[in-house]
Amino acid sequence: MIEDIKNYLEEVKEFTSQKVEDIEQFRVKYLGKKGILNDLFLKFKEVPNEEKKELGQQINNLKQAVNQKLEILKETLKDQNTSEAESDLTRPGISLNLGSRHPVNIVKNRIINIFKKIGFSVVDGPEIEDDWHNFTALNMSEYHPARDMQDTFFIEKDPDMVLRTHTSSVQIRYMEQNTPPIRILSPGRVYRNEDISARSHCMFHQIEGLYIDTHVSFADLKQTLQYFTSELFGKSEIRMRPSYFPFTEPSAEVDVYWGLETETDYRITKGTGWLEILGCGMVDPNVLKNAGIDSEKYSGFAFGMGIERIVMLMYQIGDIRMFTENDIRVLQQFSNEF
Ligand code: PHE
């Protein structure tokens, strides 16, 4: 029997073919139900125990050799097939799945481009921020009640560090390093300790703007926002409702007149025709001072908005969680947008 196995091994080693049928025949001959290996296993049961060890090893060697040979032959077959296919120029091409931009990025880029046209540039800052840049410099001292407006994630190991609750922190950083005139946008992720639901999330994106120069007035702010809403939504009727932010004075909430033409308009504006889109105001002189800017000489305005909110309005997306679920069926719908 050992002799037989040696012969089989020899045969396996020598065997080669490029034909599918031959290879299949070879496989059946060795590995088939009535093939050589099964036959050997049956015989193996009958040999006396002291011969079993060596015989078992030999049979396994053979089995391994057969399997290896089959692998190699299959690989060469595959190569052969692809090179034949490559020479067939009439074959349809391989379609590539192209990615698409995320809707949050699409709208973020649009907003950036609108403000770029009037001289704003984009600046970046850290998402893990110190207390000074996220709160204190923005006129929210340690026990300021306004800190409660933004539920905060704190860093356990360092009580001075937080996940930034807004990108206003980037504006402080920029003002500390630069002198007016300043025209910047700070887009980015922000974090708030809120329950996740259809309308709120603990992580979302903001884009904030800051303009500091001599003689900047509230009228400049209004004009800039009108320009912005007409570029983004094609709607330039806005209203500014008095509001409160610690870092701006006066402060306002801005609504855009969306209209009441369709049923959807009624639904999303709750029957009023108006939609709230952002917060803004004239930068509080204290904030300028904190960032090292002469508040006697310079004034400025700031505004900030949540990008997801705007995307939800523009595309009628009813649930903020869709932005992070990354369901390809949702994302694919934006493949033609930039
Ligand atoms: N930082 C504010 C927020 O996160 C938005 C804002 C920015 C308001 C600038 C006024 C001026 O809610």
Side-chain angles (χ1 to χ4, degrees):
M1 234 163 117
I2 299 273
E3 204 48 40
D4 286 345
I5 296 179
K6 275 197 186 131
N7 290 338
Y8 290 139
L9 261 175
E10 212 47 46
E11 186 180 83
V12 170
K13 263 191 213 149
E14 310 264 278
F15 177 77
T16 183
S17 168
Q18 308 237 349
K19 282 203 201 134
V20 188
E21 307 86 59
D22 289 351
I23 298 172
E24 179 58 10
Q25 227 173 32
F26 170 80
R27 190 189 67 80
V28 174
K29 179 174 173 189
Y30 281 93
L31 300 177
K33 236 182 177 175
K34 294 187 181 145
I36 290 170
L37 274 154
N38 269 350
D39 190 43
L40 287 171
F41 280 122
L42 286 177
K43 287 184 182 146
F44 170 80
K45 286 188 192 148
E46 269 138 42
V47 302
N49 273 350
E50 59 272 20
E51 285 173 32
K52 273 200 162 121
K53 190 169 171 214
E54 203 201 335
L55 188 62
Q57 258 171 10
Q58 294 296 338
I59 297 179
N60 273 333
N61 282 349
L62 179 62
K63 193 176 172 184
Q64 255 178 18
V66 173
N67 280 328
Q68 266 173 12
K69 182 58 105 181
L70 281 170
E71 279 300 308
I72 294 170
L73 291 176
K74 271 190 212 154
E75 274 306 306
T76 46
L77 265 189
K78 230 198 264 165
D79 290 348
Q80 202 187 342
N81 281 344
T82 43
S83 59
E84 262 171 32
E86 272 160 13
S87 60
D88 177 4
L89 297 177
T90 62
R91 252 168 49 110
I94 302 163
S95 73
L96 291 177
N97 260 338
L98 286 184
S100 57
R101 273 191 212 288
H102 193 281
V104 167
N105 279 333
I106 293 171
V107 172
K108 179 186 87 178
N109 289 343
R110 269 194 217 158
I111 297 173
I112 290 174
N113 284 334
I114 292 169
F115 282 103
K116 264 193 181 159
K117 284 196 228 163
I118 53 171
F120 282 73
S121 53
V122 173
V123 296
D124 207 3
E127 286 177 28
I128 302 175
E129 189 51 282
D130 55 41
D131 184 281
W132 169 256
H133 291 98
N134 195 79
F135 292 125
T136 307
L138 286 155
N139 230 6
M140 284 184 266
S141 51
E142 195 178 346
Y143 296 109
H144 198 294
R147 286 193 178 207
D148 287 346
M149 287 163 71
Q150 304 174 345
D151 283 324
T152 309
F153 286 116
F154 294 91
I155 305 291
E156 217 168 41
K157 289 213 170 104
D158 185 348
D160 192 50
M161 302 300 280
V162 299
L163 295 188
R164 68 180 178 197
T165 56
H166 49 189
T167 59
S168 309
S169 51
V170 181
Q171 306 181 341
I172 299 292
R173 283 181 180 275
Y174 191 85
M175 287 191 279
E176 284 172 342
Q177 302 289 330
N178 297 274
T179 46
I182 290 172
R183 278 193 222 101
I184 55 161
L185 287 175
S186 48
R189 281 190 208 105
V190 300
Y191 302 84
R192 296 194 190 169
N193 190 0
E194 278 173 24
D195 290 338
I196 299 176
S197 70
R199 307 220 56 85
S200 77
H201 208 292
C202 57
M203 185 282 295
F204 58 98
H205 296 73
Q206 267 194 341
I207 189 161
E208 298 209 351
L210 175 73
Y211 175 34
I212 312 276
D213 205 344
T214 50
H215 311 296
V216 178
S217 72
F218 199 83
D220 295 323
L221 170 59
K222 187 174 177 195
Q223 188 66 42
T224 305
L225 294 175
Q226 256 169 348
Y227 157 76
F228 166 63
T229 58
S230 66
E231 289 282 308
L232 187 65
F233 304 116
K235 297 172 198 290
S236 57
E237 195 179 343
I238 62 171
R239 72 180 179 194
M240 303 177 86
R241 282 178 289 109
S243 183
Y244 172 77
F245 297 104
F247 28 88
T248 47
E249 180 60 35
S251 305
E253 219 108 37
V254 176
D255 303 335
V256 61
Y257 189 68
W258 196 259
L260 281 173
E261 277 156 35
T262 66
E263 218 174 295
T264 317
D265 295 345
Y266 269 89
R267 185 166 43 79
I268 62 177
T269 68
K270 300 198 179 81
T272 64
W274 293 95
L275 273 179
E276 184 190 321
I277 54 158
L278 56 82
C280 66
M282 302 307 290
V283 180
D284 193 300
N286 267 335
V287 174
L288 294 178
K289 268 182 236 156
N290 288 340
I293 288 179
D294 182 352
S295 62
E296 297 290 327
K297 192 166 161 204
Y298 295 106
S299 57
F301 63 71
F303 56 87
M305 65 197 112
I307 303 181
E308 277 84 349
R309 224 186 112 73
I310 309 251
V311 183
M312 287 165 85
L313 287 175
M314 291 174 74
Y315 297 104
Q316 299 302 312
I317 296 174
D319 192 323
I320 196 171
R321 290 168 292 197
M322 284 190 185
F323 294 121
T324 43
E325 281 165 354
N326 285 335
D327 185 334
I328 233 130
R329 291 166 304 177
V330 174
L331 299 179
Q332 266 170 351
Q333 296 177 49
F334 297 90
S335 57
N336 292 324
E337 312 231 4
F338 294 96

